Amino acid sequence: MARLLKPFEYFEPRTVEEAVQLLSKYGHQAKVLAGGTDLLISMKKRKITPQYVVYIKSIPELDYIHYSQQAGLKIGALATHTAIADSAIIKDKFELLASACGKVGTPQVRNMGTIGGNICEGGPSQDSVPSLLVLEAKLKLISLHGERIVPIDEFFIAPFKTALQEAELLTEIQIPTPPPRSAGCYKWFTKITTVDESLAGVAVLMLLDSTDGICRDLKIGLCSVAPTPIRARRAEQVLRDKKIDNSLIERAARVAVEETSPRSRADYRKRMTGVLVREAISETWQKIRQLHLRERA
Amino acid sequence: MSQKLSVVGKRIIQPDAAAKATGAAMYASDLKMPGMLIGKVLRSPYPHAKIKRIGKSKAEKLPGVEAVITPEDVTQWKPFDRGLKDLPMIAGGYLVPPDEHILNERARHFGDAIAAVAAINEHIAEEALELIEVEYEELPFVIDPEEAMKPGAPQVSDVAEGNIGKHLSYPFPEGDVEKGFKEADCIVEGTFSTTKQEHCTAETAAAVAHLDVNGRINIWSQCQVAHMARREIAHIFNMPVSKVKLMTPLVGGGFGQRGSVCAEPICIALALKTGKPVKLEYTREENFTALESRTGFKYNLKIGFKQDGTLTAMQVYMLGRLGGYMGCGPMASVIGMVFGLGHYRCPNRAGEADMVMTNTPVSGAFRGFGNPAMMWGIEQLVDEAAEKLGMNPLKIRLKNIKKAGEIANMGLRLESTYLDECIKRGAEAIGWKEKWGKKKEGKMRRGVGIATMTHCSGAAPLYLDHSNAFIKLNEDGSADLTVHPAPLGQHIWGALSQIAAEELGILAEDIHIVTGDTDITLFEYGSDASRSTYAIGSATLIAAHQAKEQILERAAKMLGVSPDELEIKERQVYVKANPKKSIPVADVCYDAIYNFKGECLNISGKCSWEGRWNSSPTGAFFAEVEINTETGRVKVIKFVTAIDCGKAINPMTVEGQLEGGMQQGIGYGLTEDYIINKDTGVVESDNYDTYKMPGILDMPETEVVIIDKPDPKGPFGAKGVGEPGMVGVAPAIANAIYDAIGVRIKDLPITPEKVLKALGEKSQ
Ligand SMILES: Cc1cc2nc3c(=O)[nH]c(=O)nc-3n(C[C@H](O)[C@H](O)[C@H](O)COP(=O)(O)OP(=O)(O)OC[C@H]3O[C@@H](n4cnc5c(N)ncnc54)[C@H](O)[C@@H]3O)c2cc1C
């Protein structure tokens, strides 16, 4: 890895408009720079050598976390992992996202790295994505031609390839409020050491009927076990509209394993997906039951 | 030695601590000189390739580039040996003529140096590298030593026929192993393998070189063996030793990797070509691929025991992977056999090794040398035998460990050993009685394990164990101590100051260390083989003693008594019988220097010390682990190292060494794996994103137990403690895993996959 970056022209736009103008002017030769925790490494490794770098942390309007019951959660693309992990509202209502962002790297990386960068990097092992998948997040993308909203499960195409078009900027992540009496969690194993890339990550969001104990809805999101982050939709079906018990959870975990296609350490990743899916569903189930108990009390 | 000590044994703050804590400390990578150029090296992307053509004109034309050198530009200089060039001869002569050039026209491993540039800044130097056009002819390559030994395998070196770098034998064989195994009631054996661990020094290799106005090479070098590096550099560049001035700045970690010349040859070549100062600082990837790292072994080990646990025979055959050049790698097998087969009392011992050349980065010295590799197997087999014989792992070890006065691992007298106490006190600290051998159930299972070791304090009698110290007293009663250890972060300056101050009766802060310049320092073998405190400390002690006698003699005259009536305490010379009668050391020194009565003397002492004995440090390692039987993940919960390093000159630095050793040992045991792609020969784990050292969050609760009993030979009873800390860590973990889940992992590192596989096989 080289120690220095190749020379490039550098911009610090103040508004989204200015940014997208620069991006469309320079097309594929331009690259967006947010926290730089992914981009600068790729540039040092010479995987990418942009001629123009458009720094977006200079745009104050992109760094926010807003919530209202009706509009749901809106996160600006520049919100850092630290901001999300520490946000009271996210910890309370979207805990699976807070724990995913709290898992990323080290404090330094979380202070610099943004959720927008995590999504747009588009790799298989982006930790925030499984939670966003099960929360059915939508992405607001802006270009000179206007704005479009893309559901996150349509965003990932292939490893490091996303639906983001040239000269398009991700500005906001929109997350609907999960229904009451739902709960979720994010579980992961790292590759080797405690602070490390995820070997496998699993997010689960579950809606349980408190009267009959039937699982009304279940969503499972996975990262690091397929070319892109995925939903394990067949596994979700195993539990949906069923009364949950341990053997069903085991079955869902087995089905989820079949839905994976890891590129390396395949056997181990598959096996660990099974362990994580089982643990994540069990933990979520516990959480909901406690929630119900608390509601009744 | 029931001497009352006032400086030795104290937790003093190190002389360089403030500079390091504030960032003011100067390392090679911090050095700047007027007009200094920056060097960069072009390295082979192939494991084995002939350079058919190098086009350098584009790079040369880049403004700011001052030199582009290729293999044909360095032919006037000699090929070299990375290691200590006399070492092989003493250990039975594996000397193959050195055949590594400063730049090589046939790349023998991924990362081999092909060309180099010097430019006015780093940016231009990096750009220039990309402009050098190389036409490679890829050659068949071989990665695996077993493959390399087969007939028809690609030849790595022209001088190592059949790729056998050297066949080596255990230098201290004893008895008749066949007879020993016949006498045994229980024989355990197994095949073990170990990895090419990388040193992961905090600072990468770096050097600054320039040719001064007198035509002398000035080189700032991190080398752990400064004076021998000077000799090697003079040899390579066809100069007399007097034409090389080697300076040692603070070094950001060595662990044996800086036991060889690293960035120096290319850096000097660039300085000679340009006539300007050049700095060459390796990237992390170069540190991984261009330098030596630990020798990986595969070995068959067999041990015999009597019914009562007494050892009858030990035998090993080792196969080691050397890499593209010889380096220090072959010695790792010899040292491994010396420490491993010589650890316990055993009447019949034999060992052989084949060290094989492969198209992989070079193998060399790394903390503990071959000791961690050999104890990885020995300590697991001892546990296996204990189980077969129905003995407790502690008991079987206590039965076989040597006692003071027996022949030690290096063939010399075992001066002192308190390994029995290490075993007992370490076992207490880990809670052995309550935890070991208990029935385990459930998903998460815990276990405890032990391993022991013996190491060395210096290289005697295998290598020239030659150290020097010179000390002079200033007119204010302070002392300048001239020595040349490598300041690698082990705080050797502090330890030597304590030894000198203790002997002189002054304070550690009164000692000023003069060091790091071969023009000034006397010959010093250097800082490896856990020898600095022991060997340089011995020289320091004797030099200080000489100076002390001069102080006493002059003070005696001044006080009107005889020298043996005096003692020195806290900078003051006292009459023992009448402490009211005294004179400050400073007054004695002042009077000696500014003596207008015709009796001038700069009080001083000098010692050339050569190790004729070697006090072995011993230690016991205890791990408590927790295994998740669903994921195969191993977590070290607690680690205890109980060490007999003689008298701890500074307990704080002993703890530092041992805690650091735990971290390296846990990495060796669980996380670190040097991955070379079998199909391409490319090193895939060449930075910390792919090569995983344990981080602070992976560290267990740690405890260091220092026995702290003086050795009869070491300075103030000290023994070596630099390397021991990592030797027994991995086998203690492996034994703890066995205690927890009943499976044995014999190839490093212990990955979750291996644990799950072993658990699967066991349940079948
Ligand atoms: C030591 C270390 C540890 C790490 N650990 C983890 C981990 O545990 N889990 C994990 O998921 N990641 C990890 N990462 C990766 C990285 O930190 C995260 O992916 C981070 O969220 C990236 O955000 P950033 O703001 O730094 O992105 P940048 O590096 O600035 O950008 C990343 C990519 O996204 C594009 N981009 C960024 N923002 C936008 C936008 N608004 N619109 C369009 N394109 C955009 C950039 O052009 C670039 O291609 C780690 C990185 C390091 C260095």
Side-chain angles (χ1 to χ4, degrees), chain A residues 115-284:
Chain A
I115 187 155
N118 199 246
I119 297 168
C120 293
E121 178 69 9
S125 62
Q126 314 299 128
D127 274 299
S128 72
V129 174
S131 298
L132 294 173
L133 280 169
V134 300
L135 288 163
E136 301 198 303
K138 292 192 170 68
L139 307 177
K140 187 161 139 187
L141 309 177
I142 294 186
S143 69
L144 269 190
H145 313 296
E147 159 188 324
R148 60 182 184 128
I149 304 285
V150 175
I152 192 156
D153 65 349
E154 291 171 20
F155 190 70
F156 301 100
I157 294 167
F160 304 100
K161 190 169 180 335
T162 67
L164 194 74
Q165 282 164 6
E166 200 176 287
E168 212 170 24
L169 200 65
L170 166 64
T171 57
E172 186 177 86
I173 298 101
Q174 305 172 341
I175 305 175
T177 308
R181 280 176 229 101
S182 65
C185 74
Y186 181 62
K187 300 232 119 200
W188 68 90
F189 292 130
T190 56
K191 278 178 156 175
I192 301 175
T193 47
T194 305
V195 175
D196 204 346
E197 208 178 310
S198 288
L199 177 98
V202 174
V204 159
L205 186 68
M206 184 191 286
L207 175 63
L208 197 77
D209 198 319
S210 62
T211 52
D212 53 11
I214 302 263
C215 170
R216 293 292 170 218
D217 195 10
L218 175 77
K219 296 195 182 75
I220 303 171
L222 308 176
C223 73
S224 299
V225 292
T228 68
I230 54 167
R231 280 269 296 275
R233 290 182 197 272
R234 285 199 289 126
E236 293 171 1
Q237 287 303 333
V238 173
L239 286 174
R240 207 169 280 150
D241 296 323
K242 307 264 167 50
K243 198 170 158 67
I244 298 191
D245 61 33
N246 285 330
S247 73
L248 263 190
I249 294 177
E250 284 291 346
R251 223 175 85 207
R254 276 201 303 278
V255 173
V257 169
E258 284 165 20
E259 293 181 76
T260 65
S261 47
R263 300 191 297 172
S264 63
R265 292 172 83 183
D267 290 345
Y268 188 63
R269 279 192 210 254
K270 278 182 176 277
R271 200 159 160 181
M272 290 309 105
T273 306
V275 172
L276 285 170
V277 169
R278 197 190 65 213
E279 281 183 0
I281 297 175
S282 302
E283 189 177 310
T284 305

Side-chain angles (χ1 to χ4, degrees), chain A residues 1-6 45-46 189-196 265 268 272 275 278-279, chain B residues 40 122-123 126 130 281 283 285 443 630-631 633 671 687 689 692-694 697-698 752-753 756:
Chain A
M1 184 161 82
R3 288 173 28 113
L4 301 172
L5 300 172
K6 286 250 171 202
K45 288 192 171 164
R46 305 285 189 255
F189 292 130
T190 56
K191 278 178 156 175
I192 301 175
T193 47
T194 305
V195 175
D196 204 346
R265 292 172 83 183
Y268 188 63
M272 290 309 105
V275 172
R278 197 190 65 213
E279 281 183 0
Chain B
K40 284 275 167 192
E122 193 172 7
H123 221 127
E126 275 194 347
E130 291 174 28
E281 192 183 346
T283 61
E285 287 81 356
K443 181 172 101 173
E630 265 180 19
T631 64
R633 298 200 156 218
T671 67
N687 207 330
D689 55 347
K692 288 292 174 179
M693 266 199 298
L697 296 175
D698 301 299
E753 281 98 324
L756 283 185

Side-chain angles (χ1 to χ4, degrees), chain A residues 31-39 41 56 77 81 103-105 109 112-114 116-118 120-121 125-127 164 168-170 196:
Chain A
K31 212 61 195 144
V32 172
L33 172 67
T37 57
D38 274 320
L39 184 69
I41 295 172
I56 57 170
H81 292 292
K103 182 269 159 191
V104 172
V109 173
M112 292 301 292
T114 63
N118 199 246
C120 293
E121 178 69 9
S125 62
Q126 314 299 128
D127 274 299
L164 194 74
E168 212 170 24
L169 200 65
L170 166 64
D196 204 346

